[in-house]
């Protein structure tokens, strides 16, 4: 799969933006409330998966793209389970 150079630069810019977005998530990991830490961990894994996905496209590595998709899918599944359990108990 050959991606034009201009699109690779766009993907690199998106990777940098994703890294910037991860900074507040890392700060939330130190929160004393366990619920907030769990949410922060899921957001961190979501950001890392998105970062792998975008980096895989930028560098032409299909293994990174697949790993990012699996990671993001696992995070969304975990968020869905947490949402369902919270909805069920209220």
């Amino acid at each position: 799969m050959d991606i034009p150079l201009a699109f690779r630069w766009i993907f690199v810019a998106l990777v940098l933006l994703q890294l910037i977005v991860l900074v507040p998530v890392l700060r939330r990991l130190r929160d004393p409330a366990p619920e907030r830490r769990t949410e922060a961990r899921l957001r961190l894994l979501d950001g890392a998966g998105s970062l792998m996905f975008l980096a895989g496209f930028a560098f032409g590595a299909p293994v990174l793209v697949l790993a990012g998709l699996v990671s993001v899918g696992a995070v969304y599944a975990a968020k869905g389970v947490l949402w369902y359990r919270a909805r069920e108990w209220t």
Side-chain angles (χ1 to χ4, degrees), residues 27-72:
R27 290 184 184 152
R28 276 188 234 133
L29 284 173
R30 290 183 257 143
D31 201 322
E35 302 87 24
R36 292 182 187 160
R37 284 195 311 259
T38 301
E39 183 181 342
R41 286 182 189 127
L42 287 174
R43 285 186 182 219
L44 179 66
L45 187 57
D46 183 22
S50 299
L51 187 64
M52 279 193 294
F53 179 74
L54 290 171
F57 268 123
F59 299 125
V63 174
L64 276 178
V65 173
L66 184 62
L69 282 175
V70 168
S71 176
V72 170

Side-chain angles (χ1 to χ4, degrees), residues 9-23:
W9 281 109
I10 291 171
F11 283 127
V12 169
L14 290 173
V15 165
L16 290 175
L17 285 174
Q18 189 69 34
L19 284 173
I20 292 170
V21 168
L22 285 178
V23 172

